[in-house]
Amino acid sequence: MNADREYLAAGLALGTLADAEMIEALDLEAADPDFAEEVQSFCETLGLLAGSDDAVAPSAETEAAILSIPRLHQQAAPERTAPEHAAEPVAPTAAGASAPVTSPGPGPGPEKTRRPTTMLFALAASTLLLLSAVLAGALINQQHDTTQIQESLTVAEAERERTQRLLSASDLAFTEAEATGGGRVTLAYSVSEQMLHLTPHDMPELPADQTMQLWLIDEEGPHSAGLMTGTSTELLTDLAMDEDMIFGVTVEPAGGSEEPTSDPVVLADL
């Protein structure tokens, strides 16, 4: 489809054509299936942009067609240039001499009037499509950021509620234990709430293939209570805690072990 037909198809979709151009476009749409398909493509793209909050990227064919309109017009301009006139007609003068008769130049025809309008329309349409895609993408990013913030606030609120439960427990107790390799841990715990809050202090840094594992030890032996980083606090909930248990920490392979594989580096009576 040439540049003029692209212009007519896009203008028909947007309803921006003059009366004569609208008649020409409607005739083409009725007679030319390819032209009608192009009009439908423009209508679908504009409808999606207007009716959806999601990011809608124009099809590759539609975007390429719109962006190519100015270039096609520039290429087609030499073909629309009026052919040079043959020798000027000569009219006799009063003295019998001949003088060229100046014919009026061609007035601005439809092509000369249409080309600037077409180029402006193409630039505006392509800018609209690309800007819509960018804005829709920005909206999605903003919604994603908002969702992340909401999730973080939800986690923080749940953490605050659990901490409040622990601090409000009637049997809340505290203890502190030194680590054999340096550093210490402070524990706040409640048997009734089955919760334990651990704060490490200056614990040694372990290589990537090792981790610190927490244990609750009773008469039946050690029971894993999870892993710890050694650098951040840990709030453990839903523990199977009983009175007179022992809290322990061992150094295990990365990922932890089902049973301790080394001597405890921390032991504390609960």
Side-chain angles (χ1 to χ4, degrees):
M1 183 176 289
N2 60 37
D4 286 339
R5 288 163 63 89
E6 293 281 3
Y7 162 76
L8 291 174
L12 184 58
L14 287 174
T16 58
L17 296 176
D19 292 343
E21 293 171 335
M22 181 66 73
I23 293 173
E24 181 181 355
L26 291 173
D27 289 341
L28 277 173
E29 184 182 28
D32 190 332
D34 292 338
F35 182 83
E37 182 178 353
E38 190 70 16
V39 173
Q40 182 63 27
S41 177
F42 278 115
C43 290
E44 291 175 356
T45 300
L46 294 173
L48 287 173
L49 290 175
S52 174
D53 291 332
D54 298 329
V56 179
S59 66
E61 295 80 3
T62 301
E63 183 175 349
I66 292 176
L67 293 176
S68 67
I69 291 176
R71 174 175 56 79
L72 292 174
H73 270 278
Q74 292 173 358
Q75 294 174 353
E79 299 177 3
R80 290 198 297 269
T81 302
E84 295 185 2
H85 294 282
E88 298 283 350
V90 177
T93 62
S98 60
V101 176
T102 303
S103 60
E111 295 295 336
K112 291 184 178 292
T113 301
R114 178 184 298 173
R115 187 170 64 180
T117 304
T118 304
M119 295 177 67
L120 290 175
F121 170 80
L123 290 174
S126 60
T127 301
L128 173 64
L129 291 174
L130 297 178
L131 181 59
S132 297
V134 171
L135 291 178
L139 178 60
I140 287 179
N141 290 335
Q142 182 180 7
Q143 292 173 339
H144 178 69
D145 293 341
T146 301
T147 300
Q148 287 186 323
I149 292 173
Q150 291 174 340
E151 291 175 351
S152 298
L153 291 175
T154 301
V155 171
E157 178 63 19
E159 188 80 3
R160 187 194 67 79
E161 291 178 356
R162 288 193 295 267
T163 302
Q164 186 63 34
R165 279 176 48 205
L166 175 62
L167 295 177
S168 301
S170 59
D171 61 341
L172 176 65
F174 298 87
T175 189
E176 189 171 274
E178 300 289 334
T180 58
R184 57 192 172 85
V185 296
T186 300
L187 303 176
Y189 60 95
S190 167
V191 174
S192 64
E193 293 292 341
Q194 301 286 279
M195 298 173 67
L196 184 148
H197 186 275
L198 180 150
T199 304
H201 306 278
D202 303 319
M203 296 291 288
E205 184 176 352
L206 297 179
D209 61 346
Q210 292 182 332
T211 188
M212 293 183 183
Q213 188 163 356
L214 313 178
W215 306 91
L216 291 173
I217 306 169
D218 58 15
E219 294 179 354
E220 296 180 358
H223 309 278
S224 177
L227 306 178
M228 65 175 286
T229 63
T231 58
S232 61
T233 61
E234 308 285 345
L235 179 60
L236 309 178
T237 60
D238 300 323
L239 299 174
M241 292 180 63
D242 292 323
E243 294 181 358
D244 302 325
M245 296 186 83
I246 296 175
F247 173 82
V249 179
T250 61
V251 176
E252 302 294 335
S257 303
E258 293 184 1
E259 296 181 354
T261 61
S262 65
D263 293 332
V265 295
V266 174
L267 285 175
D269 293 328
L270 301 180

